[in-house]
Each structure stands twice: as structure tokens, then as C-alpha cells.
Amino acid sequence: MAPDLVTIRAGLGLAVPDEILANGALPDAARKMPPAFEHYTPEPVRGEGTELRVFLGSLAGSSSPVPTYTPPLLGAEAVLRAGARLDLELDPAFEHGILLDTGNISLGGTPLAVDHLHYLRPGRGRIVLEAGQTPARLVLLGGEPLGERIVMWWHLPRRHPYPPFGPFPDGYPAPLPAQRLAARPRRNHHPNPGGHFED
């Protein structure tokens, strides 16, 4: 099934407190934009046993028309048949993440774990993904490093955890300090043979 991208940008369309929280995800120049909605079905870029669909940004000669209102971003789905190989040129200014959904994939000879986000530091201009004995599906994400401190509150990013936005509404837990988050054990944790990949 081909992936569709649907984006909804609240801008000024949400009421407090959600407006305060959600708008922190957009750059200052776009935080007060009108509400926006985009729907895009990317065309496949087919190779020998591979299929790539770029839903954000540009990759392998395919570009998405969906605006991000941020520095350049990348999002693409890749499907590989068993034994297939996918060679991709990347923007070395980006950091990248590879999320393996199903199947077996190795990167530079290192197997990737399913359901883990494998992080690639900026500086890589090329990756080669190789499928194992079963078909595989993955998502490749990328973008310029943020360059600013972001606080995650539930699943919502914001720039400041407390004032000037005011206290959190009743019934909403305040964000955990970074040191408490780091100390919490991960549930369903498995050893990750991916992690930081270095050339």
C-alpha cells in the first residue's frame, strides 16, 4: 500500500492550552500562520528490487511539494525485496534516522534492529542498505540539527517548560527534568546494534 502524507498545521487555529504547546514546534516566523492542511501521495522511485517514496524533502531525484516551514527536512519510505540493495546519496549537513519497520536490513554490514530509530550523525554523504532473506520496509528521516534546546512535554515540543506561557492546566503533568528522563528505565528495551554509525 502506497503511503500518503497528511499534514495539519494548527497555527492560530488551536485554543489555549494546546495552541501554546503545539506552536512551539514551528519556527517563530510561522508560529502565527493560518491553519493549513496538505495531502500528498508520493510517486515511487523504482530500482532493482527496491521502491522509494519521498514524502518530505528531496532524495534520489524525487522531491515532495509539501512545505515544512522549517530548515530542509527529509522523509522517505523504502521497500526492499529479499537480497536487494539500495544505494542513496544523502545531504552531509543533515543528521538522519532509519526506522526499520519489517524485515532484515544491514547498513555497512551492521544489522539494524526492528522498531528502533538508528541515528546517523551529520557528515554522511552516502549509505548502502542491504536486505536480508526477507523483504524489508523502512523509513528514512533527516534534517539539519535543531541548534536550539527543545523541551518535550508528552509528545509535544516547546521551547520553554514554564513561564512566560503560564502554569500547566489542571490534570496535565509538568514535563520531567532532563535528568529524571535520562534515569528512567526503558520499557521493552533490547540491545541496539545500530546506535551511532560512523564511517
Side-chain angles (χ1 to χ4, degrees):
M1 178 182 296
D4 281 18
L5 175 68
V6 175
T7 62
I8 302 172
R9 291 178 182 81
L12 293 173
L14 285 180
V16 174
D18 298 308
E19 176 196 12
I20 293 174
L21 300 171
N23 277 352
L26 291 173
D28 285 338
R31 291 173 69 190
K32 300 300 182 181
M33 61 174 285
F37 174 88
E38 287 97 17
H39 175 229
Y40 175 60
T41 302
E43 293 295 324
V45 178
R46 294 189 174 93
E48 188 173 343
T50 66
E51 188 173 279
L52 183 74
R53 294 177 185 267
V54 180
F55 53 84
L56 273 181
S58 299
L59 183 69
S62 177
S63 295
S64 166
V66 177
T68 60
Y69 306 98
T70 64
L73 296 175
L74 171 66
E77 178 202 58
V79 177
L80 288 77
R81 294 180 185 171
R85 173 187 170 107
L86 181 60
D87 192 329
L88 294 172
E89 293 187 4
L90 304 179
D91 186 334
F94 283 16
E95 56 186 355
H96 293 86
I98 301 173
L99 178 62
L100 179 59
D101 180 41
T102 60
N104 304 110
I105 287 285
S106 64
L107 173 62
T110 301
L112 305 185
V114 175
D115 294 338
H116 285 63
L117 182 64
H118 301 269
Y119 175 74
L120 306 180
R121 299 174 190 257
R124 277 184 173 252
R126 177 175 175 265
I127 59 172
V128 178
L129 300 164
E130 297 179 282
Q133 297 181 350
T134 59
R137 176 181 180 270
L138 61 90
V139 174
L140 174 65
L141 303 173
E144 297 178 358
L146 286 177
E148 63 177 299
R149 184 179 177 87
I150 295 294
V151 176
M152 291 300 297
W153 184 76
W154 287 15
H155 62 288
L156 302 171
R158 61 189 310 200
R159 289 179 175 83
H160 305 283
Y162 299 111
F165 298 120
F168 287 92
D170 291 340
Y172 285 74
L176 294 174
Q179 62 270 22
R180 286 182 59 195
L181 286 172
R184 297 179 70 189
R186 292 178 57 188
R187 291 178 293 178
N188 301 322
H189 173 70
H190 301 285
N192 183 354
H196 292 75
F197 287 90
E198 300 298 337
D199 292 326

